Amino acid sequence: MTDKLFDEFVKSKLEQYDSGAPMHVWERMKKDKDDDPKGFFFWRNRYLLLIGALFLATGIGYLLMQRDSNNHPSAAATGAGNSNAIESQNRTQITTTTTNNSTGDKTNSAGTPASSSATDIRSESNTDTGMSANNPAVSHQQLTASAAQSVKLKNNLSGSKNDVNNTNPSGTIFKQSRNKKAVQQVKNKLAGTGNSNLISAVNGNTSVNNSSLASNQPYSISLSGFQPKPYLPPFKLGNIAMPDSKPSCPTITGPRRRDFYIEAYLSPDYNVRSLSVSNAPSGYLTERNNTEGYRTSYSAGVRAVKNIGEKTLIKAGINYSQINERLRMVTENSKQLTQIITIRTVIRSPGDTLFVRDTMYFEQTGTRYRTTYNRYRFIDLPLIFSYEFGNPDLIHFAVNAGPVFNITSFYGGEVLDTSYKPLRISTSSGTGVNNWRSNIGIGLFASVAMYKKLNDHIDLFAEPYMRYNFNPVTQSNNFIKQRYIITGMQLGIRFNLIPPGHRYR
Amino acid sequence: MLTVCLRYAVDTMEAEDILQESFVKVYRNLSQFKFEGSFEGWVRRIVVNTALKHCQKKKIRFDEIKPDVTQQQGSMEPSAYTHLGENDLMRLISNLPEGYKVVFNLHVIEGYSHEEIAEMLSIKDSTSRSQLVKARRYLQNEILKLQKTVAV
């Protein structure tokens, strides 16, 4: 027997072979069929929810950081034993003015001598106590108003889409989409019947009684309050085109991976600061480096990960990173002038109240230690391409790289200006040395990750990374170029949203 | 369609899984059927593709057959087929190594060419041809063994 005959023999044998599917298979199919649309909708909405959550988190983070950005430098003065003691039973207003013998700046540090306790209390007055202090810090709030617009789409018969209700005897309503030509055909056919009421009903965007059409029309348009005929043929219009898309047959190149992950991570960071000056007083760079020190930085983020191939993935999310530095200045022979205003209330008789205001000044001399914590904050949108290799069931690795788009950058703290005075960082409209970017643009991210599988849904990962920012945090017209290269170790968890049985389709 | 699934699956349970998955796909994508060709053919193609996916999930290997099997040229007499039942043939096909089974089913039963099979399975044409030849020899030998057992 030749091969061809053998093949035909096998084919003919098996063509006749029939094995009926057991009943439980059909029941499983029915359950799967009923469950799936809900699940599909759920997953689709979950993606939308995730995107919404990312934007929400970004907004909240931004508002919180805006509030935090108004931090004040901590200052301490030594010398004459300062305290903010306020005597009770007296309304005392204390104003403190600090005079630095070299800078003469004003701060909100208050010093109240013990002499305030010597305030005279002349009668059994029922006075209260209050304090007000000058505060040079100016806070501002940004109010954001959002307006929502709702758009209602109204379908009518003259529109491009209409719903025509077709009712069967069991009362089930099938909705079929119709285009304008279809409606025109309805009109034409109605015109052929000579039923002007029906034509006007169609023109007037109302429905047509089914029973009145049953004798002449193979279709009907539903009306409220009509009695359906026992049988209605399906609506057939010649100009209704079949969908152009091909049947969604499964791919013939094999099952495709369709994993979708959510990754959340925290990272202790180490930053390499590059500080260069082009036109600054000699010694300025040295003074900056001496007064500013590095403190622990960190970053955190959430990202969505979708595979685009068997081993390639794309990641996108929100990343928040914060670089912490400390500015520490020591100023000797600092003089601090303190103004104390004491208000006393004297009630001499019912209805006869006397307010007495005493003003006094005192000056302190000492060494001033000024410590400011600077914070450089970045909110970024990383778009990372990843290539995975290794055994996914045990430990696997990934090489990641991609651009990082800065959404916003904001800073808090102080830096030295060219006269070595502390100058508050401002991203709004600073000049000279105080000229900072509110958006540092695009950076480059590269990392190597190691994943350890915990169970079917969860992996732990450790990802040493490096981010290089092309732009400095200072503006281009600033004579200081302050740039950061951020390195760190992202430690996080990866959660696979796709159930194990559905990861290959 | 369950028969189609049985030819690709290892056991009945897997075949039922394939059938279920296929029919759910058919149901979901019913609106995309273009009325070009028979509906059964369209469904059959979905079933075959789903079965292939299941096979490829297992990362099937196109193994070389053992020399003692390949060298045995099945001197098949027509009489050897006379008593071969459909269930026996199905069982023998199911017992084929994965690579042989897939190629044999696709070419002999479904009628795909070697080029199409190569594209479907991401293999070379020559691999598909050699797998088919080896599958055929393997199957013929198994039929002969079965007939000898019956004769004894």
Side-chain angles (χ1 to χ4, degrees), chain A residues 86 273 435 450 488:
Chain A
I86 300 166
R273 187 176 79 169
N435 200 346
M450 184 182 76

Side-chain angles (χ1 to χ4, degrees), chain A residues 1 3 6-7 9 13-14 17 19 22 24 28 33 36 242 246-248 250 252 254-255 504-505, chain B residues 3 16-17 20 23 27-29 31-32 35 42 53 56-57 81 84 86-87 93 108 120 136-137:
Chain A
M1 179 179 279
D3 289 345
F6 178 76
D7 292 349
F9 165 76
K13 274 277 184 186
L14 295 183
Y17 185 77
S19 52
H24 69 269
R28 279 167 50 193
K33 171 181 74 68
D36 187 73
M242 292 299 293
K246 292 182 179 177
S248 64
I252 57 175
Y504 277 88
R505 283 288 171 91
Chain B
T3 310
E16 289 175 358
D17 286 345
Q20 177 184 344
F23 272 70
Y27 174 79
R28 286 182 203 157
N29 301 307
S31 60
Q32 298 183 18
F35 295 97
W42 184 66
K53 278 187 180 181
Q56 292 189 347
K57 274 182 200 173
Y81 300 105
L84 184 65
E86 294 157 354
N87 288 329
I93 290 175
V108 176
M120 291 164 85
R136 207 181 272 136
R137 296 287 170 264

Side-chain angles (χ1 to χ4, degrees), chain A residues 208-224:
Chain A
V208 181
N209 194 330
N210 186 22
S211 59
S212 65
L213 286 172
S215 58
N216 296 324
Q217 303 298 326
Y219 46 80
S220 67
I221 303 173
S222 69
L223 273 178
S224 58

Side-chain angles (χ1 to χ4, degrees), chain A residues 257-328:
Chain A
R257 181 182 173 190
R258 53 185 292 270
D259 283 328
F260 187 83
Y261 305 96
I262 295 294
E263 289 182 353
Y265 57 87
L266 282 169
S267 169
D269 291 341
Y270 178 77
N271 305 288
V272 179
R273 187 176 79 169
S274 162
L275 193 64
S276 61
V277 292
S278 56
N279 185 18
S282 61
Y284 176 76
L285 201 59
T286 307
E287 188 66 20
R288 283 284 304 266
N289 288 328
N290 288 339
T291 54
E292 293 176 13
Y294 170 75
R295 289 177 64 83
T296 306
S297 302
Y298 64 90
S299 61
V302 178
R303 59 195 176 205
V305 184
K306 179 80 179 76
N307 73 292
I308 51 178
E310 184 64 26
K311 293 184 177 180
T312 51
L313 303 96
I314 187 167
K315 305 179 180 184
I318 292 290
N319 181 77
Y320 170 78
S321 58
Q322 178 171 315
I323 298 171
N324 297 322
E325 288 179 353
R326 184 181 61 189
L327 170 69
R328 190 174 176 85

